[in-house]
Amino acid sequence: RRGGGGGGGGLSIHLGGSATYITPFLDGVPRIEHSYRLNVGGLSCTSTLSQLMALRWPAHRTTATLFNANYVKEKYCYTARSSYLSELRSFEQLATCKDKIIRFQLPYTEKEVPTLSEEDLERRKRQRTEAADRLREMARAKRETQMDTLRGTIKALESIMNQSKLAKSKELASLNEKLQAMGVADVKSLPKAISSRIKQFADVKARHRSKGYEVPETDEFSHLASIGDAEAEGNKFDLIDRPDSDLTREQLDEKKRQKMLRGAQLAREAERKRKEEEREGKRRRKLEQDRQRQENPQEWLRNARSQRARII
């Protein structure tokens, strides 16, 4: 810009990657002491454009990199020549905005989707079925091994318990050593240990039956099922079997109370057993009906209709 006195002046604006440098000139001489550095450059514009692209198209976050944003900036973006605000307002008009819309394709790598033949699909299906069968077989073998192990442990503990009833003090010491090797503290802990292992055996057996495998209905440890309860009851009702002549007056009153509690407990156990037998009978009848429905649907339908007619 030239003044009236023949001198000249101007500004040198250099847009760099990370900063913009502004240097004034007066009479053709740069005034370095009045230069200014603005911490906004081309990299800032590229980073802002990359963030805007990622926000506008979230599906292309991995594609909206700085490299691609820099390509879009250099190829499609421009600088407002007159006024930035007037150029910005031109995008508010639909006609002008349509002329300035530019469509481009972001770079991408097309995924190759392999085409499988009918034989390949059938082979994969067969492999999945065989893998599932192998897993089921492994689970079955594991459950059967657990049942065999628990069965042997329970029988061994039962044998030691029977021996301890007639054993002397020296023999009890050797029995305790055997029990400690099996994870049981001593002979006194046998009822609790047997009850715990019977419960584990019943859980594994029920799990095996729920998977559709045949399991014997008979309870091979029914004679030991209440051994833990019997031990607790022996301590709870310790005065019932003692003669009255050996008891004090307070103990006689306690003995009467224990007899009433024992009678109520036996009644509850009998009712619980009756309900369990009733549930078991319903389950067996349902299994029989399901079997009959699968083997002879017509006969099952006639029986169902006749039962319905009797009810109505």
Side-chain angles (χ1 to χ4, degrees):
R1 184 167 62 88
R2 294 186 176 275
L11 291 175
S12 171
I13 301 175
H14 173 68
L15 182 62
S18 59
T20 300
Y21 301 93
I22 304 172
T23 304
F25 282 80
L26 184 61
D27 295 332
V29 179
R31 301 291 182 170
I32 303 300
E33 65 274 12
H34 298 294
S35 62
Y36 184 77
R37 181 181 187 271
L38 183 64
N39 294 326
V40 176
L43 183 60
S44 303
C45 300
T46 304
S47 177
T48 303
L49 180 59
S50 174
Q51 294 175 9
L52 291 174
M53 291 169 61
L55 291 173
R56 178 63 180 82
W57 297 285
H60 296 280
R61 285 183 180 274
T62 57
T63 311
T65 59
L66 289 176
F67 179 82
N68 293 332
N70 186 67
Y71 170 78
V72 172
K73 180 191 73 174
E74 293 180 353
K75 187 171 181 62
Y76 300 107
C77 295
Y78 64 94
T79 304
R81 296 185 180 277
S82 57
S83 172
Y84 173 74
L85 293 178
S86 62
E87 188 72 18
L88 192 62
R89 292 192 190 96
S90 67
F91 283 89
E92 298 177 356
Q93 302 175 6
L94 185 60
T96 309
C97 183
K98 285 184 177 180
D99 296 336
K100 295 183 179 181
I101 291 177
I102 300 174
R103 291 181 174 86
F104 59 90
Q105 175 66 56
L106 289 172
Y108 71 99
T109 303
E110 185 176 2
K111 294 182 179 180
E112 296 183 1
V113 180
T115 56
L116 300 178
S117 61
E118 293 293 334
E119 295 180 357
D120 294 335
L121 293 174
E122 186 64 27
R123 178 173 53 80
R124 288 193 175 186
K125 182 179 179 180
R126 187 170 61 254
Q127 289 177 350
R128 287 194 295 268
T129 304
E130 291 175 354
D133 292 340
R134 284 196 299 270
L135 291 175
R136 281 193 292 268
E137 182 63 23
M138 290 170 61
R140 180 198 63 79
K142 183 178 179 180
R143 287 192 298 271
E144 290 181 352
T145 303
Q146 287 179 344
M147 286 192 292
D148 292 339
T149 303
L150 288 171
R151 185 183 292 109
T153 303
I154 294 170
K155 290 182 178 180
L157 293 176
E158 181 185 7
S159 175
I160 294 176
M161 184 178 64
N162 294 332
Q163 294 176 20
S164 65
K165 294 177 180 179
L166 303 175
K168 299 179 180 179
S169 58
K170 294 182 179 180
E171 296 174 347
L172 284 176
S174 62
L175 292 178
N176 286 331
E177 292 180 0
K178 291 182 181 179
L179 290 174
Q180 290 173 3
M182 300 173 66
V184 183
D186 51 20
V187 175
K188 294 181 180 180
S189 306
L190 267 175
K192 185 177 180 180
I194 293 176
S195 299
S196 175
R197 283 159 177 78
I198 289 176
K199 186 177 182 300
Q200 295 177 12
F201 180 80
D203 293 341
V204 178
K205 187 176 179 181
R207 212 162 53 240
H208 198 58
R209 183 187 291 113
S210 65
K211 299 299 180 180
Y213 296 99
E214 294 184 0
V215 179
E217 296 290 341
T218 56
D219 188 1
E220 51 190 307
F221 300 115
S222 57
H223 61 290
L224 297 173
S226 60
I227 186 171
D229 298 336
E231 182 72 13
E233 289 172 6
N235 298 328
K236 186 177 180 181
F237 306 110
D238 56 341
L239 299 178
I240 292 179
D241 297 330
R242 293 179 61 181
D244 295 345
S245 58
D246 297 342
L247 303 177
T248 62
R249 188 162 189 87
E250 291 79 6
Q251 289 177 335
L252 288 173
D253 295 337
E254 179 65 19
K255 181 178 180 179
K256 291 179 182 179
R257 191 183 70 85
Q258 290 184 7
K259 284 183 177 180
M260 289 188 294
L261 293 176
R262 179 59 176 164
Q265 184 179 14
L266 292 175
R268 287 194 299 269
E269 291 178 356
E271 181 65 17
R272 189 183 304 113
K273 184 177 180 181
R274 184 189 65 80
K275 289 182 178 180
E276 289 178 356
E277 292 176 352
E278 184 178 350
R279 285 195 295 267
E280 183 66 19
K282 289 181 180 179
R283 188 184 68 83
R284 290 183 180 179
R285 286 194 296 272
K286 186 177 182 302
L287 292 175
E288 180 64 23
Q289 290 178 0
D290 293 342
R291 184 189 61 78
Q292 186 180 6
R293 183 177 57 185
Q294 294 177 0
E295 294 178 356
N296 193 349
Q298 297 298 330
E299 181 67 22
W300 175 84
L301 184 59
R302 283 195 297 270
N303 294 336
R305 287 175 175 173
S306 62
Q307 292 179 5
R308 180 175 179 274
R310 286 197 301 271
I311 294 173
I312 295 175

